[in-house]
Amino acid sequence: MDSYPAVEDHGLIGDLQTAALISTDGTVDWFCAPRFDSPSVFGALLDRRNGGHFQLSPDGVDYTSKQLYLPGTPILITRFHSADGVGELLDFMPVTGAEATDRHRLIRLVRMVRGSMRFRFHCHPRFNYGRDPYELEVHPEGDVFRSATMSFTLAAFKNSLREFETRNIKRDADGVSASFTLHAGDIGGVTLETACPHAPRALSTDEACDLLAETRDYWRRWVSGSRYKGRWRETVERSAMTLKLMTYAPTGALVAAPTAGLPEQIGGQRNWDYRYTWIRDASFSVHALLRLGFTDEAEKYLLWLDARIREARDGNLPLQIMYRIDGSPDLPEEVLGHLEGYRGSAPVRIGNGAAGQLQLDIYGEALVSLELADRNGLIAPYEGWRKTAGLMDWLCAHWDQPEDGIWETRSGRQDFTYGRVLSWVALDRAIRIARRRGRPGDIARWSAERDAIYQQVMTRGFNQERGAFVQHYGSDILDASLLAMPGLNFISPTDPMWESTLRAMDTGLVSDSLVYRYDPRASPDGLAGTEGTFNMCTFWYVQALALAGRIDDARLTFEKMLTYSNPLGLYSEEIAPTGEQIGNFPQAFSHLSLISTAAHLDDLLDQQG
């Protein structure tokens, strides 16, 4: 357990309230309970020796492994190949439903396909990010791990494992371990259950297989609701399932990623906690979900957003850029100095200090989702619209000020061009809703401020010497967030000012089709080190190319981008110069933009005939 697997060498499973990452050697490297944003129980992803893990893999034999998902589901299959046989590990979490619960099950089912193989499991928890001790209780059918704040039971399937007897079980300060041998046709496994109200109970193999079938059927029913039938159907549906796995069912809130602390540069300091709901990310999800036909999920998030807007206006406050999945605004940032970080990438941070930043673009993203929902028949209730209108009045008074920007830089506020563009978008979409539905609002004021923003961006956001729209006023720094400008209808994709901007980005931010957010050496952001290319920006680049009429370039760039996913179709936040995935994993931004880009590119290709 001393070496770190690559970030992309993991699969994601979950039950719609929490999730786990499992590596290609059968190790649960990351698992938080009872929620996405709860402390970790297994955190080997951030410290191989002290983070805790749950491994189930072949013992004493040379093997290779491959991972795939059971088609149409997030049930993870890890196949182990050796000279003596082939075994399969199926990891899944039965769906918990929309009621918040502390009780979650992770089921690890092993079946022998051919030959025979000896397996070993080792459950080595480290509660509360490795800070809380625990006691181990031994029961007739399993064990209970109990800390001051939570507990879980561990039980092997009964009547299933040859040689799995009491004498083979080892219990010590490192947890519980055991070994067993399976022959062709044998099925075995273990169940981990958090907050179990009774003593451990061993499942029969039939019960485990029934839960497997129920989980399979749930996901296949859900994904069958997708109306996307385009060229990249399997890829799009995998991204949709990944987003569903990262959505907290009790509130409809989408986490940016289920992980914390995975670095944007190996050994660097850009290590953030993404287990929260950003207004920006979740608003983008409405577009992706409605394109696929998942109206219920979009509506659930809109209710969550409506609650945040009401809270903000009740306190006469701006929206916060991110919240916990239950809507709480408190995300104090803390450094876990006892963890070494992924491959030595310290500090490990939990919480997120950027929550208090001013980022004006979030109003545009929120109103884009509300306006799109309105066009699809998801109409805001009276009180929700009243508070939204009040938020637009606040924006009219506050848009023309320095802010922290979309990329959450920590080097001081600037007049960011993207923030101004999205402020224009917010007012423009609010005006559209008000006029379409005859809703009350100070449309005259909104229109005047919208037009003032437009004139300011066109005169101050464009650098004549660079021939491009730039990151912030008075600079010559390119910024990939501005790739969204034509898609938001702020500027025509054939406008000479935009065409020259796109050419500047071609040479200044694009590296073999992959796109950097910006150059931190040219625009210091208050953090040491560099980063990789940003997956969302690459997908935005595809859309910008397509809108500019460069369809062949757009399709080739998109197809290249698809090669950077892991074998399961999952994307992290960024791609390193080496081609490996870096940053938190999987990343909602990446999968949201993949869905939107695939649908948009399909439409344009269909128009070409």
Side-chain angles (χ1 to χ4, degrees):
M1 289 297 298
D2 291 333
S3 62
Y4 287 84
V7 168
E8 63 260 37
D9 286 346
H10 290 87
L12 178 73
I13 64 170
D15 64 4
L16 306 185
Q17 294 190 24
T18 187
L21 287 183
I22 301 168
S23 69
T24 53
D25 70 352
T27 301
V28 180
D29 278 333
W30 185 255
F31 176 61
C32 300
R35 310 190 323 186
F36 294 108
D37 56 355
S38 299
S40 63
V41 178
F42 304 120
L45 205 56
L46 298 179
D47 194 310
R48 300 300 283 171
R49 291 181 295 276
N50 303 312
H53 67 275
F54 183 9
Q55 185 172 16
L56 201 169
S57 58
D59 183 33
V61 62
D62 292 331
Y63 68 89
T64 59
S65 62
K66 303 284 186 182
Q67 283 186 326
L68 72 155
Y69 281 120
L70 186 67
T73 80
I75 295 170
L76 183 65
I77 304 174
T78 306
R79 289 172 55 83
F80 301 109
H81 297 257
S82 76
D84 297 325
V86 175
E88 291 184 340
L89 169 63
L90 285 78
D91 283 301
F92 66 98
M93 297 180 70
V95 175
T96 52
E99 295 297 323
T101 179
D102 290 347
R103 196 173 175 189
H104 304 274
R105 287 177 293 180
L106 194 165
I107 298 177
R108 318 202 69 188
L109 186 153
V110 189
R111 59 190 181 195
M112 203 64 203
V113 177
R114 64 172 175 81
S116 62
M117 193 177 293
R118 188 168 184 81
F119 290 86
R120 178 178 182 269
F121 81 76
H122 181 206
C123 185
H124 176 59
R126 287 294 179 263
F127 293 92
N128 189 18
Y129 308 108
R131 296 182 293 192
D132 290 354
Y134 66 87
E135 296 179 350
L136 179 62
E137 301 172 5
V138 179
H139 292 260
E141 295 191 26
D143 299 315
V144 178
F145 295 81
R146 195 181 306 280
S147 75
T149 55
M150 74 165 296
S151 66
F152 71 81
T153 64
L154 188 71
F157 299 173
K158 59 187 175 185
N159 304 323
S160 62
L161 305 182
R162 299 183 183 184
E163 300 183 23
F164 191 80
E165 300 172 356
T166 302
R167 60 185 174 84
N168 293 320
I169 302 175
K170 179 182 178 182
R171 299 179 176 92
D172 56 29
D174 287 332
V176 173
S177 59
S179 58
F180 54 92
T181 299
L182 294 183
H183 303 279
D186 285 348
I187 296 176
V190 291
T191 301
L192 183 154
E193 184 171 0
T194 65
C196 184
H198 51 73
R201 186 183 76 82
L203 293 178
S204 69
T205 54
D206 286 343
E207 288 175 306
C209 289
D210 286 345
L211 287 171
L212 176 67
E214 290 173 12
T215 305
R216 176 201 65 202
D217 293 346
Y218 169 88
W219 284 100
R220 286 182 174 171
R221 281 194 304 271
W222 182 81
V223 80
S224 69
S226 171
R227 65 187 181 199
Y228 177 82
K229 309 299 180 187
R231 295 165 177 80
W232 299 282
R233 181 174 177 178
E234 185 176 347
T235 298
V236 166
E237 289 183 351
R238 179 54 57 195
S239 286
M241 280 185 278
T242 302
L243 293 174
K244 178 77 168 173
L245 282 173
M246 291 193 285
T247 300
Y248 184 63
T251 64
L254 172 75
V255 296
T259 57
L262 292 179
E264 297 173 13
Q265 179 189 31
I266 302 301
Q269 301 176 6
R270 301 166 184 265
N271 318 315
W272 315 111
D273 190 346
Y274 276 13
R275 298 170 299 153
Y276 309 114
T277 301
W278 270 251
I279 294 292
R280 179 185 305 111
D281 304 41
S283 295
F284 286 154
S285 75
V286 173
H287 183 268
L289 291 167
L290 289 178
R291 285 297 298 259
L292 299 181
F294 294 120
T295 306
D296 290 346
E297 284 75 12
E299 186 172 19
K300 192 77 177 285
Y301 164 69
L302 290 168
L303 291 172
W304 183 91
L305 175 60
D306 179 71
R308 306 291 80 75
I309 291 174
R310 295 188 190 201
E311 291 164 359
R313 298 319 303 145
D314 287 342
N316 197 30
L317 297 169
L319 279 175
Q320 192 163 290
I321 69 167
M322 72 180 93
Y323 299 83
R324 291 190 178 275
I325 51 180
D326 60 4
S328 167
D330 300 320
L331 290 85
E333 189 168 295
E334 176 185 0
V335 171
L336 301 180
H338 63 288
L339 298 180
E340 70 173 11
Y342 177 79
R343 291 168 61 181
S345 302
V348 172
R349 298 180 178 92
I350 57 171
N352 201 309
Q357 289 190 349
L358 175 66
Q359 297 179 16
L360 293 172
D361 66 280
I362 65 172
Y363 300 97
E365 285 126 4
L367 264 294
V368 165
S369 70
L370 292 174
E371 196 273 333
L372 179 63
D374 185 83
R375 280 191 279 126
N376 281 269
L378 300 177
I379 302 170
Y382 165 73
E383 189 64 20
W385 170 253
R386 191 173 71 84
K387 294 297 175 65
T388 299
L391 202 63
M392 293 302 96
D393 293 336
W394 180 93
L395 185 61
C396 285
H398 293 89
W399 67 263
D400 194 11
Q401 64 175 306
E403 44 130 357
D404 295 295
I406 181 176
W407 306 131
E408 299 174 4
T409 58
R410 301 192 177 193
S411 58
R413 293 180 173 179
Q414 299 283 355
D415 294 310
F416 284 104
T417 306
Y418 183 76
R420 296 297 201 275
V421 170
L422 270 291
S423 295
W424 176 92
V425 169
L427 294 168
D428 178 73
R429 300 317 192 260
I431 293 167
R432 294 187 192 186
I433 297 172
R435 287 176 172 164
R436 181 186 301 127
R437 300 294 176 188
R439 294 289 186 261
D442 194 347
I443 295 179
R445 184 188 184 194
W446 298 351
S447 298
E449 294 299 327
R450 178 196 61 183
D451 294 348
I453 297 170
Y454 184 84
Q455 291 298 332
Q456 187 186 91
V457 170
M458 298 304 285
T459 56
R460 298 182 61 192
F462 189 84
N463 184 294
Q464 295 291 343
E465 288 74 24
R466 192 70 190 260
F469 289 98
V470 290
Q471 185 179 73
H472 56 81
Y473 298 166
S475 77
D476 63 354
I477 307 302
L478 298 175
D479 192 309
S481 65
L482 300 176
L483 287 165
M485 290 174 69
L488 292 167
N489 295 320
F490 184 88
I491 193 169
S492 167
T494 59
D495 188 301
M497 294 173 72
W498 175 251
E499 290 178 333
S500 64
T501 298
L502 188 56
R503 288 194 298 270
M505 291 190 185
D506 285 339
T507 57
L509 293 180
V510 180
S511 175
D512 187 30
S513 79
L514 300 177
V515 181
Y516 289 94
R517 294 189 292 183
Y518 57 93
D519 183 354
R521 295 167 298 181
S523 177
D525 54 14
L527 298 165
T530 59
E531 61 180 24
T533 55
F534 204 76
N535 293 337
M536 180 186 70
C537 292
T538 302
F539 287 121
W540 280 2
Y541 180 57
V542 172
Q543 294 187 52
L545 290 173
L547 286 170
R550 296 164 57 182
I551 302 296
D552 289 342
D553 290 342
R555 183 166 188 177
L556 178 59
T557 300
F558 186 69
E559 294 287 359
K560 282 184 178 180
M561 189 59 196
L562 297 184
T563 69
Y564 287 98
S565 76
N566 79 348
L568 299 170
L570 303 180
Y571 288 89
S572 67
E573 183 178 24
E574 301 182 8
I575 304 297
T578 57
E580 66 182 320
Q581 299 205 37
I582 52 176
N584 283 302
F585 176 88
Q587 173 77 1
F589 250 166
S590 300
H591 289 277
L592 287 166
S593 51
L594 183 154
I595 292 170
S596 297
T597 302
H600 185 68
L601 195 54
D602 260 319
D603 290 344
L604 292 176
L605 289 169
D606 288 344
Q607 291 172 18
Q608 278 192 332

